[in-house]
Every structure is written in C-alpha cells, then in structure tokens.
Amino acid sequence: MIRRAMLAACVATIAGCASAPTPKSAVPEPVDPATAVTLHLYRADTGYIGAAVDQYVYVDGFRVGRLNRLESFELKVAPGEREVVIQPHTLGIPDGKQVKLTLRPQARQDVYLRYALGVAGVFAIGKTAAVSFDVALQEVSEADWAARR
C-alpha cells in the first residue's frame, strides 16, 4: 500500500513538471477553402531513435495529430501567423522537450515541415524546419505525397 502511494506521488510530481500546450478547444476554427494554407508535416528520420515516444503536433494550441516514425499528414489552416509545436509524450506524460516553429504563410501556400530526431549525448533532440517541395520530395516518396492530394 505504501509503495502504491509513493508511485502515485512520483507520477503526479513528474506530470506536474511536464509542460505541454493546452488545447484551446476540441475543434479548431473552420478554414475558408479559397484561402487555405496547406501544411505538409512529415517525419524525416527513419531510425529507431524516439520510436516508442508519441510526438503530438499542436497548431495554435490545438492538438491536430501525431507525427511518429515514418508518418506524415496534411492540415489546412488559415493564412497568417501560426505556431507549430511538436511535443513528445513518454508513457502519456509530456517530457518537456517541445519544438516550436512560428510560420507566416500566405493564402493558398503549401508549407512543408520536416521533423527529425537526432541524438545529443543520451537525449533525443527534435528539430523542425520549413523546407522546399524538392527537399520534401527527396525524403518522402512522390507516391506518398500524391496519395494525400
């Protein structure tokens, strides 16, 4: 019984120290299809670093998806300033090593965002960068992108 109480206290302490974006609501605002920006998010690394960790993607505080090893997805957003956050979760707990990127896309623009994990010492470090379609095409097959259009 004492062990369970200690375990619960440890989990509560760890969860309290973690920082993750707080979703604003369950559903983001509707986007006008005539001016919508398409965010193409993909995971570039194919190794097993961080393979057991869930990488949740937030745009402007809304949780919009998950981007794990070999995964990609597209998202329609309104033009203007957008904040993209990728937050790793280990065993359901945010681990605090979030990656943030602020974008300012124009209407009807396609934005390709590459997320990759690297190793720094014993830690997996995530990096996000906006890349061109040509770079994205080198890292994700043309058939994979075509299937999403």
Side-chain angles (χ1 to χ4, degrees):
M1 189 63 111
I2 293 175
R3 287 184 185 170
R4 285 185 188 166
M6 289 176 60
L7 178 61
C10 288
V11 169
T13 300
I14 291 170
C17 293
S19 62
T22 304
K24 295 177 186 175
S25 88
V27 180
E29 298 175 17
V31 178
D32 179 4
T35 61
V37 172
T38 304
L39 298 181
H40 306 266
L41 296 104
Y42 70 98
R43 177 94 175 253
D45 54 297
T46 58
Y48 289 98
I49 296 168
V53 178
D54 291 325
Q55 311 289 330
Y56 290 114
V57 179
Y58 298 82
V59 175
D60 297 333
F62 295 101
R63 186 168 138 188
V64 296
R66 188 178 78 179
L67 196 58
N68 289 335
R69 188 174 162 266
L70 302 175
E71 291 183 338
S72 62
F73 67 93
E74 290 182 356
L75 177 69
K76 302 286 187 186
V77 297
E81 186 169 294
R82 302 280 157 242
E83 182 180 67
V84 178
V85 174
I86 299 179
Q87 174 69 59
H89 284 67
T90 304
L91 300 174
I93 300 170
D95 75 357
K97 295 183 222 79
Q98 59 184 230
V99 175
K100 291 183 183 181
L101 183 67
T102 301
L103 307 169
R104 291 171 187 82
Q106 302 298 316
R108 297 180 306 277
Q109 184 178 1
D110 284 294
V111 178
Y112 294 87
L113 296 176
R114 174 203 310 129
Y115 178 72
L117 283 175
V119 177
V122 296
F123 298 103
I125 306 297
K127 293 182 180 179
T128 303
V131 298
S132 69
F133 173 74
D134 294 332
V135 170
L137 188 58
Q138 291 174 8
E139 297 177 329
V140 179
S141 75
E142 190 167 354
D144 190 36
W145 286 124
R148 289 169 171 70
R149 293 195 182 267

